Amino acid sequence: MMTKVKTQGLVTDLMPCIRLLQAAGHFLFNYHADTSGMNMLLRKIYSSAHAVLIVVHYICMGINMAQYKDEVNELTANTITVLFFAHSIIKLAFFAFNSKSFYRTLAVWNQSNSHPLFTESDARYHQISLSKMRRLLYFICGMTVFSVISWVTLTFFGESVRMIASKETNETLTEPAPRLPLKAWYPFKTMSGGGYVFAFIYQIYFLLFSMALANLLDVIFCSWLIFACEQLQHLKAIMKPLMELSAALDTYRPNTAELFRVSSTDKTEKVPDAVDMDIRGIYSTQQDFGMTLRGAGGKLQNFNAENNPNGLTAKQEMLARSAIKYWVERHKHVVRLVASIGDTYGTALLFHMLVSTITLTLLAYQATKINGINVYAFSTIGYLVYTLGQVFHFCIFGNRLIEESSSVMEAAYSCQWYDGSEEAKTFVQIVCQQCQKAMTISGAKFFNVSLDLFASVLGAVVTYFMVLIQLK
Amino acid sequence: MPSLLKTESLALTLTLNTLSWAGLILRDDYTKTQRIIMKVYGGLVFLYLFVFTAYVQIADLVVIWGNIDFMTETSLILFMQLAVSAKVLTLMLKSKKIMEVTNEADAILNSEKKVEGQRIIASIDKNTTLFLKYYGFFVAFTIICWFMGENTSTFFIRSKYPFNELKSPGREFAFVHQCIVVIFTGSFDFNVDIIIISLVAVCRCRLKLVALSLRNLCLDIPMNKRNLITSDEEKVITERLRNIISQHKRALDAAEAIKHYLSGALLVQLMVSIVVICTTAYQLAVKKSTTMQSLTMAGYLFGTSLEVFLFCYQGEFLRESSEEIADAAYECPWYTLTRPLKKTLLIIMTRAQRPATLTAGGFVTLDITEYMAIMKASYSFFTVLQQVSE
């Protein structure tokens, strides 16, 4: 019934993630084969229904928080839960309002240049990025399901009560509360019976879908970063053959070792055809690229050639220039992709960090009240690990992007540029100059996404925890 | 009477004209006598608005020394006046040089013919007008709240006049003085800030136009199979590059000049803002005050934070625009150019690595990270104030 939709570039790579996003209820309406009015309407109704259900439950949790705002313990716990699920609401709304820029970023890689010399390397790194993206998706999906299961399991342990401070005697009393994963206000009775079962199922749905909403959007962001990093790896990998190629341009370097040695391998050399415009035929063997210049420079540099004292035909010069053009255009394409990613997701990261900072501060306070291995300890540590894990998730990929983009300059320097022509040296100069500044993703310019950010967040949590322990 | 000053930027037009009516900025088309008259008039305005007010407030401060609440209230206004007077003084003293920079920038922006260039100018103008509206709203809101609220002073600001202000005619004089001070200090502060922001925005615009020209360096040169330009094309591109470099140099000079003139005033503004933010936060958190007073304090708090944020934001944008030049040079098809041209591009890129920034006092670069540092410093001073009062 559903015909295969024709996709290209990033959309093809990220299709499983996109389908999961659509299933979770994000307002993602592109990339369907069948765009008839009826089906689009059905999809819009599906997404809106999810949005309404999730927002309604969130409001119920908010009402519960307002009801018990006089109890400090209850207030802190409810605030943490409300902030925890604020991520999902924010990301849902963010995607709905910003879907155009998401589509734009997904379309950035629709047309990419190619060069016959480098297609093999391109394909290899593309495959690596694809497998990494899949692995990330499976891991995050697994973690989400595991979190939901462990949350529901934890509900059945311990006392299901609320801590109320009695005004007269000033000690904490316990008030029975329904044994549900989340504390929320419902217009019907949920202590037992039909209301309890309904609320329980609603809450499982809410847990699963809201966590999926938030995590899958982060997965898309990190997948983009993985793709960009692998493209940079590809560029670094082809720097060396490119240098060796353009080493032939206009410099004559006597190969001193060869002068005193009879070369024995020239019989297998394939001489390029003078009228053959197909540049793929010139270099057909791997050994043309595997050699070093000082050792056996004879293949690229033919001392006996009549047309050019440097051993080059015009075609070889064209080849070298076209390779440089491919490198530079591919690099510019990666820069455009990273800029687009930053514009699309930067604000979402800013909101995420704001909410996470407040959540972690409150969690540090809650952690000081742990007094043994019980349900309270498990739930507090669970919240902590999950929140820190979310921040770590995008910090580590942002950091990798920074490292990869600043190491391009080192790769340019580490290839044998001094053997290259003046043309090659100018190319290396400009590339080094441009790649000095690493490509970063910033949260609306307020911070850069890197492991430094994660370290500062972690340090802040530990500091608050230590200070609060002292104050007790 | 000379006619209205016109510039490309709407915000700059409005604010420069307002200040020139108050005699604080001298226009180029004044004759010599007019210039002298306006200088005296401007000096008198400055004396009345700032020096006299500072004097009466310091006199009051001496009287109420020891009472923390009253002291914070008076020092708040005093410090804000200090910041405004520093900025106004800078503008008055450097008025001629600033007008020079404005006129030069205006000529360049006017002569921009490319469609995309005009679009860039229009978007930056829209940006500055937006700042004008938001900031103007806050200032107006705070002034209204100040008028409508009850204060511990006889009129609006705590002050000790050298004459008896409870009996007329001293009473009328003091009342008029206070009204004028509240309205005009607020509006001058607003005007000067918008002028500073617009000047920086204009520099940014010029740098963006340089980046645009660099990006379009080989726009109408067809790509040939050899990926190398011919010698005729090389001549054309060399000429274009020369123009771009001179544009770049003049834009950087203008940015450097603006930074130099505004540096001192911005330092005073920053110090004062830290003090104002923590005192208003203290007033809001600790003092018991009526709704109107709380609103006024909140207005001050947000207004001052917004003010510092606007400066830091513009500083960040300026830095970003000057670093963008390197990216723009990389975006043109430089691999098709000859080696001398590539070396020229390389030198442009190297220069662009040292960005044009806005500084306060020469040692503090105003960008978003600095804004966060200022907020953190204000918050720590606020907590210290809280401890002291308990």
Side-chain angles (χ1 to χ4, degrees):
Chain A
M1 186 186 101
M2 179 132 116
T3 54
K4 214 82 182 99
V5 53
K6 196 164 153 330
T7 57
Q8 44 181 329
L10 276 173
V11 180
T12 326
D13 296 342
L14 289 171
M15 199 42 111
C17 195
I18 292 178
R19 291 282 175 241
L20 276 173
L21 274 174
Q22 288 169 335
H26 268 293
F27 292 92
L28 215 179
F29 301 126
N30 280 17
Y31 315 121
H32 288 284
D34 182 8
T35 51
S36 67
M38 192 59 207
N39 279 325
M40 287 306 271
L41 188 65
L42 279 175
R43 287 182 199 123
K44 289 199 169 104
I45 292 176
Y46 177 76
S47 297
S48 314
H50 276 297
V52 163
L53 283 173
I54 289 182
V55 172
V56 159
H57 195 269
Y58 191 73
I59 293 177
C60 291
M61 283 165 57
I63 295 177
N64 175 63
M65 184 172 106
Q67 265 186 331
Y68 290 95
K69 68 177 183 322
D70 295 322
E71 312 297 323
V72 173
N73 290 330
E74 280 296 311
L75 182 63
T76 330
N78 286 337
T79 315
I80 291 176
T81 317
V82 161
L83 284 174
F84 189 79
F85 289 102
H87 286 301
S88 317
I89 309 280
I90 291 176
K91 294 219 159 89
L92 185 66
F94 183 78
F95 190 90
F97 286 117
N98 257 17
S99 35
K100 279 210 175 40
S101 57
F102 274 91
Y103 296 147
R104 202 179 23 237
T105 311
L106 282 167
V108 161
W109 210 266
N110 279 353
Q111 307 277 54
S112 66
N113 60 352
S114 65
H115 195 271
L117 283 177
F118 304 128
T119 38
E120 184 255 331
S121 173
D122 192 11
R124 184 157 34 103
Y125 283 100
H126 188 210
Q127 203 49 44
I128 293 178
S129 77
L130 210 63
S131 67
K132 280 192 180 165
M133 288 197 258
R134 293 286 150 85
R135 250 187 289 153
L136 178 71
L137 181 64
Y138 296 151
F139 179 73
I140 297 292
C141 287
M143 286 308 289
T144 312
V145 169
F146 172 72
S147 310
V148 173
I149 292 177
S150 45
W151 195 315
V152 172
T153 318
L154 207 61
T155 322
F156 292 108
F157 289 89
E159 302 178 317
S160 114
V161 290
R162 276 201 190 93
M163 301 291 180
I164 311 281
S166 160
K167 295 283 186 304
E168 297 89 53
T169 57
N170 208 23
E171 58 183 46
T172 8
L173 300 170
T174 57
E175 180 194 84
R179 190 176 277 276
L180 290 170
L182 296 163
K183 293 201 176 100
W185 169 87
Y186 292 106
F188 45 85
K189 293 205 82 53
T190 51
M191 281 308 284
S192 58
Y196 175 73
V197 174
F198 175 74
F200 200 82
I201 295 181
Y202 189 17
Q203 290 203 351
I204 293 185
Y205 157 81
F206 176 75
L207 276 176
L208 187 64
F209 274 74
S210 55
M211 283 204 212
L213 277 177
N215 289 343
L216 284 173
L217 212 59
D218 283 339
V219 167
I220 286 250
F221 169 67
C222 295
S223 305
W224 283 337
L225 289 181
I226 291 175
F227 187 80
C229 289
E230 293 306 321
Q231 286 296 320
L232 287 170
Q233 291 267 39
H234 163 58
L235 285 173
K236 285 193 296 180
I238 61 175
M239 183 67 90
K240 195 156 185 291
L242 204 152
M243 224 17 73
E244 290 167 359
L245 205 58
S246 56
L249 281 173
D250 89 23
T251 1
Y252 178 91
R253 295 162 334 279
N255 191 337
T256 17
E258 285 288 270
L259 281 174
F260 302 108
R261 195 167 45 206
V262 176
S263 54
S264 53
T265 50
D266 288 38
K267 297 193 184 49
T268 55
E269 179 172 290
K270 181 176 170 213
V271 178
D273 189 356
V275 298
D276 186 3
M277 288 308 286
D278 183 9
I279 49 178
R280 275 177 296 189
I282 298 179
Y283 293 100
S284 53
T285 56
Q286 198 55 27
Q287 61 183 192
D288 282 339
F289 291 118
M291 47 110 195
T292 61
L293 288 160
R294 282 278 178 227
K299 293 208 172 58
L300 271 182
Q301 200 177 33
N302 191 346
F303 297 124
N304 299 326
E306 282 95 19
N307 41 16
N308 192 321
N310 301 324
L312 257 207
T313 61
K315 223 178 308 170
Q316 283 165 314
E317 189 198 313
M318 258 176 63
L319 185 69
R321 261 188 219 287
S322 69
I324 290 183
K325 176 177 172 180
Y326 168 79
W327 198 101
V328 175
E329 289 299 330
R330 184 51 77 96
H331 187 243
K332 285 193 220 171
H333 204 172
V334 175
V335 171
R336 271 204 303 278
L337 172 67
V338 171
S340 182
I341 295 174
D343 288 336
T344 305
Y345 211 65
T347 323
L349 287 172
L350 179 66
F351 286 137
H352 188 119
M353 287 310 296
L354 277 172
V355 174
S356 293
T357 314
I358 307 176
T359 317
L360 285 168
T361 318
L362 289 171
L363 277 170
Y365 169 66
Q366 289 286 72
T368 58
K369 294 191 284 184
I370 293 180
N371 47 15
I373 309 278
N374 51 14
V375 171
Y376 180 75
F378 273 117
S379 65
T380 312
I381 293 183
Y383 270 117
L384 254 173
V385 169
Y386 192 92
T387 316
L388 283 173
Q390 274 185 322
V391 176
F392 183 72
H393 180 218
F394 53 75
C395 282
I396 196 159
F397 287 109
N399 199 62
R400 180 149 183 254
L401 179 71
I402 293 176
E403 282 178 0
E404 289 294 335
S405 56
S406 50
S407 67
V408 172
M409 180 188 111
E410 286 151 29
Y413 190 75
S414 66
C415 65
Q416 294 184 312
W417 52 269
Y418 42 85
D419 275 340
S421 59
E422 296 307 310
E423 196 71 44
K425 285 187 206 151
T426 326
F427 162 70
V428 169
Q429 226 178 347
I430 295 193
V431 161
C432 278
Q433 183 69 21
Q434 183 62 10
C435 297
Q436 259 179 344
K437 199 170 70 131
M439 289 194 264
T440 55
I441 302 279
S442 77
K445 298 200 216 322
F446 277 92
F447 54 83
N448 277 340
V449 175
S450 69
L451 281 178
D452 285 336
L453 180 69
F454 178 70
S456 68
V457 164
L458 192 61
V461 170
V462 171
T463 314
Y464 292 148
F465 180 68
M466 297 295 187
V467 167
L468 287 168
I469 284 271
Q470 293 285 7
L471 286 179
K472 271 184 122 14
Chain B
M1 202 49 194
S3 58
L4 232 50
L5 252 182
K6 274 217 103 20
T7 58
E8 273 286 318
S9 155
L10 172 69
L12 210 53
T13 316
L14 283 176
T15 46
L16 276 177
N17 277 309
T18 321
L19 283 186
S20 67
W21 287 332
L24 298 173
I25 287 197
L26 299 169
R27 288 210 277 251
D28 299 322
D29 41 354
Y30 284 162
T31 63
K32 204 138 170 54
T33 37
Q34 274 181 327
R35 204 169 264 273
I36 296 181
I37 295 175
M38 286 311 265
K39 270 195 190 163
V40 171
Y41 169 52
L44 281 175
V45 165
F46 185 76
L47 269 173
Y48 181 64
L49 266 187
F50 298 111
V51 178
F52 182 57
T53 323
Y55 164 70
V56 301
Q57 286 188 294
I58 293 178
D60 183 60
L61 206 62
V62 168
V63 168
I64 58 162
W65 192 264
N67 187 338
I68 293 276
D69 285 344
F70 287 164
M71 271 174 74
T72 40
E73 198 183 316
T74 317
S75 60
L76 191 72
I77 319 275
L78 197 60
F79 274 119
M80 277 174 60
Q81 294 242 299
L82 182 68
V84 179
S85 54
K87 287 187 288 199
V88 167
L89 203 61
T90 315
L91 268 189
M92 282 174 73
L93 294 176
K94 299 257 175 9
S95 148
K96 184 159 168 197
K97 297 203 183 99
I98 290 181
M99 289 309 291
E100 258 171 32
V101 172
T102 320
N103 290 335
E104 184 197 349
D106 210 36
I108 294 183
L109 293 184
N110 263 330
S111 65
E112 179 60 35
K113 293 286 174 282
K114 293 195 281 281
V115 171
E116 178 135 5
Q118 284 173 344
R119 215 176 329 140
I120 290 178
I121 297 176
S123 82
I124 292 191
D125 192 27
K126 201 169 71 149
N127 209 337
T128 345
T129 321
L130 206 71
F131 286 156
L132 184 98
K133 286 189 203 151
Y134 279 147
Y135 192 45
F137 167 72
F138 262 123
V139 172
F141 174 72
T142 318
I143 292 180
I144 293 175
C145 286
W146 195 262
F147 272 130
M148 301 212 311
E150 303 112 35
N151 302 289
T152 59
S153 62
T154 14
F155 302 110
F156 306 111
I157 309 174
R158 286 197 64 86
S159 44
K160 174 116 184 58
Y161 286 94
F163 47 80
N164 189 352
E165 70 253 24
L166 296 171
K167 286 202 309 189
S168 77
R171 195 157 181 274
E172 271 81 48
F173 182 78
F175 181 72
V176 163
H177 174 247
Q178 298 235 344
C179 283
I180 290 180
V181 163
V182 172
I183 296 178
F184 279 91
T185 316
S187 64
F188 281 165
D189 190 18
F190 164 70
N191 275 306
V192 173
D193 284 342
I194 297 291
I195 287 182
I196 294 177
I197 289 168
S198 316
L199 284 174
V200 177
V202 159
C203 283
R204 211 179 109 209
C205 202
R206 288 171 71 174
L207 287 168
K208 270 188 134 68
L209 290 175
V210 170
L212 178 68
S213 323
L214 262 179
R215 226 174 275 133
N216 295 341
L217 188 62
C218 305
L219 189 59
D220 43 3
I221 311 263
M223 188 83 76
N224 65 5
K225 217 174 161 78
R226 281 183 65 222
N227 287 327
L228 191 63
I229 53 174
T230 63
S231 57
D232 296 323
E233 289 166 350
E234 188 182 343
K235 288 197 187 63
V236 168
I237 293 188
T238 315
E239 194 53 43
R240 281 188 198 167
L241 256 187
R242 183 179 284 131
N243 283 337
I244 289 174
I245 292 174
S246 77
Q247 246 189 311
H248 188 207
K249 277 182 8 187
R250 279 182 303 170
L252 285 176
D253 284 339
E256 185 72 29
I258 299 270
K259 173 174 102 170
H260 189 66
Y261 301 148
L262 297 176
S263 172
L266 283 174
L267 181 66
V268 176
Q269 170 73 50
L270 273 196
M271 304 269 120
V272 164
S273 302
I274 296 180
V275 172
V276 167
I277 290 176
C278 72
T279 9
T280 42
Y282 168 78
Q283 297 257 13
L284 271 176
V286 176
K287 255 184 70 170
K288 301 274 174 290
S289 39
T290 61
T291 332
M292 222 52 222
Q293 270 187 316
S294 306
L295 268 178
T296 321
M297 287 299 138
Y300 266 139
L301 183 63
F302 282 125
T304 319
S305 314
L306 187 66
E307 199 176 1
V308 181
F309 179 70
L310 284 179
F311 289 139
C312 292
Y313 203 50
Q314 283 289 43
E316 174 83 29
F317 269 165
L318 181 67
R319 188 161 62 87
E320 199 184 293
S321 307
S322 58
E323 284 175 349
E324 203 187 308
I325 304 232
D327 295 331
Y330 194 70
E331 271 177 44
C332 74
W334 53 268
Y335 42 84
T336 58
L337 302 177
T338 58
R339 221 176 310 136
L341 283 175
K342 278 197 232 178
K343 288 252 162 70
T344 319
L345 268 184
L346 193 61
I347 296 180
I348 298 178
M349 281 164 72
T350 316
R351 176 60 181 92
Q353 300 283 9
R354 188 76 76 91
T357 51
L358 205 56
T359 63
F363 57 90
V364 173
T365 318
L366 285 180
D367 52 19
I368 298 271
T369 22
E370 194 54 43
Y371 180 66
M372 302 296 284
I374 292 171
M375 286 292 126
K376 282 193 190 147
S378 312
Y379 185 68
S380 25
F381 290 145
F382 162 66
T383 41
V384 166
L385 253 183
Q386 261 192 320
Q387 292 284 21
V388 164
S389 74
E390 272 159 25

